Amino acid sequence: MRGSTDETGTAGYRPLLFSIAYGMTGSVGDAEDIVQDAFLGLTRARRAGTTIAAPKAYLTTAVTRLGINHLSSARVRRESYVGVWLPEPVVVQADGSGPAEHAELADSLSMAFLVLLETLSPMERAVFMLREVFEYGYPDVAAITGKSEVNCRQIFARARQRIAAGGPVRDSAPPRERRAEGEELARTFFAAAAGGDMDALIGMLAPDVVLHTDGGGKVRIFGKPLAGRLRVMRLLLGVFRRGRTLGVSLRPARVNGRPGGVRYDPEGRVVSVVELDVADGVVRAIRSVSNPDKLGHLGPVSDLARLPES
């Protein structure tokens, strides 16, 4: 984590705090900064002689309100973003290595869900996430956000209605079943793509599968969502064929709690992160992040596909 603070007795709250901040911002780096700022605020309050009877509540409130402020200032940047916007991926390698303290609760925050949250105002996002994802009661949501209980109920109902048309609010399959099915299919899927096996690949793609690619205008990608089994299959085969030529490899990983992988160049630098949305035995959506600004928290970033600076 960034910086250092006096966190005696409170370090165990980090997974929850990170997940709240990440759910608010969609950014690993910004979430870490927000959590660090919350801990710094707690340290300053204690040093000033303030008694903090409930540090968890204090930190949760601080993180949520810092997230609301951050989102309010980020709106202009999001509106001018080049191409498809996807969140910064939270990655845990197949061997279990990675920011485990980030991953436990962030598993509830898939890329698809975070994209849906983008349709909400900062306050709607905070209320909806606290209530829906983290299952806080309305009295706690009201205390954290500074709104009345009645207002929080209204905000939640409005937010839920707003995003309902975008897809299911939460995954319905039990996590263990979903993870086992998804990881097995992902291994077979990536092997078929790497080997150019068209028949196997097309059998694992839903007819209405959609490919979302986020390059932020900084790398060579197909910039718009691509829909349809045949079109997605052809693009994937082309990407993996070029990858083989350039020595790119893929390592399986959990991405935002979903099956996926990280692609690396021959020097071990990150090229992209891929998340698969698996349901009913097929891949229904693929989300790939290759914007180098969103991959730096995973290690050195490759320049294989980077566009020249204008």
Side-chain angles (χ1 to χ4, degrees), residues 143-160:
I144 290 169
T145 59
K147 300 290 184 178
S148 69
E149 278 190 54
V150 171
N151 201 358
C152 286
R153 290 178 184 275
Q154 294 171 339
I155 293 170
F156 179 78
R158 186 169 62 243
R160 190 179 182 89

Side-chain angles (χ1 to χ4, degrees), residues 13-88:
Y13 303 142
R14 274 196 180 274
L16 170 63
L17 298 174
F18 172 83
S19 291
I20 292 173
Y22 177 67
M24 289 295 295
T25 66
S27 165
V28 172
D30 290 336
E32 289 181 337
D33 288 341
I34 284 172
V35 171
Q36 194 64 25
D37 286 345
F39 274 113
L40 286 170
L42 177 63
T43 299
R44 292 192 193 101
R46 284 173 167 171
R47 289 176 179 173
T50 303
T51 299
I52 307 296
K56 181 180 178 181
Y58 177 96
L59 290 166
T60 302
T61 300
V63 163
T64 302
R65 295 186 183 184
L66 286 167
I68 290 171
N69 292 339
H70 174 88
L71 267 187
S72 299
S73 64
R75 288 285 167 175
V76 174
R77 294 197 303 272
R78 296 283 170 84
E79 289 171 0
S80 61
Y81 194 80
V82 178
V84 173
W85 180 91
L86 293 174
E88 290 183 12

Side-chain angles (χ1 to χ4, degrees), residues 208-236:
D208 56 351
V209 63
V210 181
L211 172 65
H212 308 266
T213 54
D214 178 349
K218 299 187 177 183
V219 295
R220 297 179 183 88
I221 60 164
F222 192 87
K224 298 179 180 179
L226 187 67
R229 179 187 282 161
L230 288 175
R231 297 177 73 197
V232 170
M233 180 200 68
R234 290 175 184 138
L235 182 61
L236 285 174

Side-chain angles (χ1 to χ4, degrees), residues 219-263:
V219 295
R220 297 179 183 88
I221 60 164
F222 192 87
K224 298 179 180 179
L226 187 67
R229 179 187 282 161
L230 288 175
R231 297 177 73 197
V232 170
M233 180 200 68
R234 290 175 184 138
L235 182 61
L236 285 174
L237 290 176
V239 168
F240 275 82
R241 188 183 308 115
R242 288 192 297 273
R244 287 196 303 273
T245 302
L246 296 171
V248 174
S249 60
L250 182 141
R251 300 177 198 169
R254 280 170 52 213
V255 180
N256 288 59
R258 304 304 183 271
V262 183
R263 300 176 71 229

